[in-house]
Amino acid sequence: MRVAIVADGPAQAEVDCSRNPLVLAGGLRELGHDVRLLVVEDAPPARGGTVPEAPDPDAVVPLAPARAGHGLASLAVPPDVVLSVGLSAPIAAAVLAESLGVPLVVSLPAAFFGSCPPAHGYGRLVCRHLPCSCLVVECDRHRLAAQALGADPHRVFVVPPGIRLDGYGDPRSADADRDESRGVAADPLRVLFDASRTSAEEQRFLEGVLTRLARERRRNIRTVVRVAAANGSGAGSAAELWRDRPDTLVVASDDGAKIANLFAGSDLVVIPSATADESVTALRAMAAGRPLVAADCPSIRDVVSTARYGVLARPGWTDEWIDKLDYLIAERAVRLHIGRSARARVETAFSLPQTLQQLDDRLVAVTATWRYDVVGQPAMD
């Protein structure tokens, strides 16, 4: 099947998650589909106003909503379906699908339903008025929100985000190797904090929690702070905040393998942010088989649905965070139990192959019921 993916842009931090259009395109190609990736941008077309007729299949083709003809010119063979991925992509994808006479599938990102969603009118336009065959959302909470914006309940389907598990290995063997190498219980526990999306205020809150935990509860911990390498200002601000703290290491990396190693090499993961969407961070901790203490907010609850998969604490409640962190640090058996349950949960509900297969089922179902124009550009298979 030929699939045209219209996305906001390929450069995203989720290098190991289905939210990244490059990961999505590569996964669909592995399933046997012919995939073209077109990126929505406002830049003018190339000199001469043309796009190569048959570009490299792995190349990313720019697409502007008002100049969908340039996207059409980049498709040597018309697709069977157009898939929209991102906040800004649905309009350009709808123009492309209508021009070709093929079905449109709109995948709504988590940001569409986040703490700073788009304007209500844009939400109703996409969910109710856009001529799409179906809407794809990440969880039941998003499904209900889309229906509240006017989406047809029979055309909204849940496809959870998928994380690539290859780099995380087997948590059980990693735990055994760590225990053998550590040897003594006095060695510090490694607490991982991903600060790539966390505000400075929330970072200061966590720094205060960890400082009190070490001073008042006398816990021997080593903090590893991960920042995004692509964001120089963010990396600098995080280093400025954490550099004076003892037993703290700041790591700047966007490489998927290095990120997986950071999570797999930790004993505990903390997510203090209740304002940013940290669901991918939670999925990485679960994929590594590591227990996590996270802020109790809707985006985390979409992934950590019960206490079997992680511990939730109210944002800003310092004493509650200290108590729950202290309990997990003291109880190794509880950490192992939560970590292994979380890994099993990711394998059964949030792995990348399962997400790709569910999305593939949606795309196949849409094309199977679509009445293609025999005379027009798209030919019937």
Side-chain angles (χ1 to χ4, degrees):
M1 184 168 61
R2 297 180 294 273
V3 182
I5 298 180
V6 179
D8 289 349
Q12 295 186 12
E14 293 88 356
V15 294
D16 54 353
C17 180
S18 60
R19 289 180 178 175
N20 189 320
L22 288 177
V23 175
L24 198 61
L28 290 175
R29 288 191 184 107
E30 291 178 0
L31 291 178
H33 299 296
D34 180 8
V35 181
R36 292 309 315 275
L37 180 58
L38 300 95
V39 176
V40 177
E41 62 175 23
D42 295 327
R47 182 175 299 178
T50 60
V51 177
E53 291 293 333
D56 182 359
D58 293 328
V60 176
V61 180
L63 171 69
R67 295 185 292 271
H70 297 282
L72 297 176
S74 70
L75 301 171
V77 180
D80 299 302
V81 61
V82 174
L83 173 63
S84 167
V85 179
L87 278 175
S88 305
I91 304 301
V95 173
L96 188 64
E98 283 291 304
S99 301
L100 293 171
V102 299
L104 170 65
V105 176
V106 175
S107 178
L108 296 178
F112 197 90
F113 309 98
S115 57
C116 296
H120 183 74
Y122 183 76
R124 290 184 62 84
L125 172 66
V126 173
C127 293
R128 183 174 182 176
H129 299 293
L130 210 64
C132 63
S133 298
C134 71
L135 293 175
V136 175
V137 295
E138 292 187 350
C139 61
D140 287 330
R141 180 173 63 88
H142 295 172
R143 175 180 58 82
L144 295 175
Q147 293 177 15
L149 290 172
D152 185 350
H154 302 289
R155 294 189 176 187
V156 183
F157 300 91
V158 176
V159 177
I163 196 83
R164 183 180 283 119
L165 301 178
D166 300 345
Y168 296 94
D170 184 2
R172 295 189 180 185
S173 60
D175 290 333
D177 295 340
R178 180 182 293 109
D179 292 340
E180 183 177 353
S181 62
R182 176 173 291 173
V184 293
D187 285 351
L189 266 72
R190 285 159 287 193
V191 177
L192 176 64
F193 166 46
D194 191 333
S196 57
R197 295 185 183 85
T198 309
S199 66
E201 180 181 356
E202 290 166 329
Q203 291 188 46
R204 284 191 292 268
F205 165 77
L206 179 62
E207 196 275 336
V209 168
L210 295 177
T211 299
R212 285 187 54 187
L213 184 66
R215 184 179 67 247
E216 299 175 6
R217 306 296 174 91
R218 301 191 180 280
R219 292 301 180 187
N220 188 13
I221 58 177
R222 177 175 175 81
T223 307
V224 178
V225 181
R226 182 248 164 181
V227 297
N231 187 354
S233 59
S237 61
E240 185 75 19
L241 178 63
W242 294 91
R243 66 178 181 179
D244 295 331
R245 176 180 165 78
D247 295 326
T248 300
L249 174 66
V250 178
V251 180
S253 177
D254 289 330
D255 181 75
K258 292 182 180 178
I259 293 174
N261 289 335
L262 285 176
F263 279 85
S266 65
D267 296 292
L268 183 65
V269 179
V270 290
I271 306 175
S273 178
T275 57
D277 182 10
E278 295 281 6
S279 55
V280 172
T281 304
L283 285 176
R284 287 170 176 161
M286 296 167 68
R290 299 293 168 250
L292 62 90
V293 179
D296 191 354
C297 60
S299 62
I300 293 296
R301 282 191 173 272
D302 293 337
V303 177
V304 185
S305 54
T306 70
R308 292 183 58 194
Y309 312 131
V311 177
L312 302 183
R314 288 172 290 184
W317 290 62
T318 305
D319 291 337
E320 180 177 338
W321 276 78
I322 292 175
D323 289 339
K324 291 184 174 181
L325 282 169
D326 184 56
Y327 174 70
L328 282 180
I329 291 173
E331 298 294 336
R332 178 181 179 276
V334 176
R335 295 200 309 271
L336 292 177
H337 177 73
I338 292 178
R340 291 169 182 174
S341 298
R343 171 64 183 231
R345 171 65 173 168
V346 169
E347 290 176 349
T348 57
F350 297 103
S351 67
L352 183 59
Q354 288 184 329
T355 295
L356 293 171
Q357 187 59 57
Q358 292 182 47
L359 182 60
D360 176 67
D361 292 342
R362 286 291 99 220
L363 296 176
V364 170
V366 165
T367 56
T369 57
W370 183 262
R371 297 182 61 182
Y372 290 91
D373 186 3
V374 180
V375 181
Q377 286 184 335
M380 295 184 64
D381 292 334

